[in-house]
Amino acid sequence: MTTRLSNAEIQYIVDGVEQDFRSDGRGAEDYRQIELETRILPNTNGSARCKLGKTEVLVGVKAEVVDVDVHAPHIGKLVITADCSAVASPKFVGKGSEVLENDLSNVLSFLYNSTNTISLNDLCIVKGESCWQLHVDVLFVQCGGNLFDVASIALKAALYNTTLPIVKVSGEGIEMEMEVSDDPYHVWKLDVSNCPICITLYQIGGGFAVDPSEEEVACSEGFVHIGVQPNGDMSSMEKAGAGNIDPTTLLEMVEVGVRVGEEIHKQLNKQLDAEKSLAKL
Amino acid sequence: MASEILSAEGLRCDGRRPQEMRKLKCELGISEGADGSALVEQGYTKVLVSVFGPHECANRNTRNHERAIISCSYNLASFGSAIRKKKMNTDKKSTEVGVMIQNTFEAAVMLEKFPKSQIDIYVQVLQGDGGERCVAINATTLALINAGIPMKDYVCACAATVYQDSVLLDINNLEESSRGPLFMLAVMPHTDSIVQLQLDHRLHNDHLDKVVKETIQGCRDIQVLLDRQVKEWTVEAGSRT
């Protein structure tokens, strides 16, 4: 994904970002059109596909009943794993994608680390015994920049329509019996009203921008991932990439990131609710 | 369990007749970053294939001075099967299927036109519900066509099993896990020449002729659908400004 740019091109892009008018006409805070589709994988408990620019991500959520963690007997588990498919680029064959996958898995897991993002208590079936473990697999089918943001949007959409079978627990102690319902309509949904999305702000020259194109990424020095919740709270923050960021710029970035994040949440929720009203499940 | 495969009325577990194939949906050129790509869905099995090349050989040792070499990688998504499978880089079964697809297309692609080059085929199974290898081969055919790589003919694949003397075509996951024979055939339909054949479990010799004939017919039917999609895509791509 190395883009070679001439000095004139770099200057053009940097000037554009600083003046809030990028090469494709967008402002520094504008995202490109986001394409989202949910419930595309019937094998999973929840799924979504998200496409933004040249990046396309598929998220599948699979649930299984497991034993609780000894250190946290009253909550369920959420495991987020990223997978860069070889279909996206020949570089991802075999172990080529390991570094990027680790990075993606860590940032996305970090987003959901804080306790008020998703209620893991709801995933507990029998306290001290069994709980639901949600495996969220993020598959990158095309990689064209801005991977974290797209993945987090698809993740939230997949969790939004994740359905878990209702479990009937009877008896106590040794005689305890758990019955997982077979009925595809006897299900419950997770509460994703606080789930965050990742907004990545790239520092380009003296300014910063969201959702950069590949050329703009090549001109950037350092970027910041911010996990933004629908109510404007931040669930996580991480600075990555090579480059120094001024503290004042950082505060400005955070303010913009939260603002953009809230707007995206609003639009996302609107679309997800509209899609829900299309089908009766 | 036994009655689920084929009911007394002659219907399979998903309501199909024995020679009925699953619904086939295909699309070319869905991955912009690749030279050629295709997505094929047969029933619930969904496979995405990307083709890169022909390009310079990555490894000088494997370079062939007379023709191109094909390298193929096959991967199943973690959420692809009924039970979640953790991604493993050196999965023996995936490597085996990769080599099988590579051998299949070495017979079909006109490799002599591209000496010293390499063609990469990457297969990603998004969802598996039986017949993943066949759908992968069908999708690879379309992806190679999308990439503009010349081939002798389409390569179409179909899997079948035999149950109570009936040949069941285009088997799904449930039928694959029954203890009947798993017969997979990849064919170049215009000449009916077989490029790949795999049989698992036992198949009685009496059934062999019938199974081969019906599976070849299944492959021919698939070729008609793939061809229709290729023509539609050509018209659409050609009329794009």
Side-chain angles (χ1 to χ4, degrees), chain A residues 85-102:
Chain A
S85 173
V87 300
S89 161
K91 281 190 293 210
F92 297 150
V93 180
K95 289 206 172 151
S97 52
E98 228 172 274
V99 174
L100 182 58
E101 281 172 8
N102 275 336

Side-chain angles (χ1 to χ4, degrees), chain A residues 41 58 62 83 85 137 139, chain B residues 46 74-87 123-128:
Chain A
L41 302 167
L58 267 173
K62 286 190 89 79
D83 180 4
S85 173
D137 292 298
L139 181 71
Chain B
K46 228 174 173 164
Y74 173 93
N75 284 299
L76 177 62
S78 307
F79 44 68
S81 43
I83 301 170
R84 184 197 176 251
K85 222 175 266 175
K86 189 176 153 181
K87 182 193 174 182
V123 181
Q124 178 74 52
V125 178
L126 301 173
Q127 195 162 251

Side-chain angles (χ1 to χ4, degrees), chain B residues 53-154:
Chain B
H55 59 80
E56 198 178 326
C57 237
N59 189 351
R60 292 194 82 186
N61 296 333
T62 51
R63 196 161 70 164
N64 188 320
H65 291 268
E66 285 155 30
R67 51 190 190 76
I69 60 165
I70 294 183
S71 108
C72 179
S73 159
Y74 173 93
N75 284 299
L76 177 62
S78 307
F79 44 68
S81 43
I83 301 170
R84 184 197 176 251
K85 222 175 266 175
K86 189 176 153 181
K87 182 193 174 182
M88 284 194 295
N89 280 324
T90 51
D91 183 12
K92 273 194 204 153
K93 185 159 180 279
S94 298
T95 321
E96 189 200 317
V97 179
V99 171
M100 184 271 286
I101 296 178
Q102 179 190 319
N103 290 336
T104 309
F105 285 94
E106 274 175 357
V109 173
M110 292 178 177
L111 298 170
E112 311 76 39
K113 298 213 178 243
F114 308 105
K116 300 187 209 165
S117 336
Q118 181 175 329
I119 297 173
D120 298 320
I121 299 174
Y122 299 123
V123 181
Q124 178 74 52
V125 178
L126 301 173
Q127 195 162 251
D129 184 35
E132 292 89 2
R133 292 173 293 174
C134 303
V135 184
I137 289 177
N138 296 333
T140 309
T141 302
L142 289 183
L144 287 166
I145 292 173
N146 186 224
I149 294 172
M151 296 206 289
K152 294 172 194 156
D153 193 359
Y154 283 79

Side-chain angles (χ1 to χ4, degrees), chain A residues 12 21-27 30 32 211-213 216:
Chain A
Y12 183 73
F21 194 81
R22 292 143 88 177
S23 8
D24 54 4
R26 286 186 288 153
D30 295 333
R32 285 167 292 186
D211 190 24
S213 61
E216 287 168 341

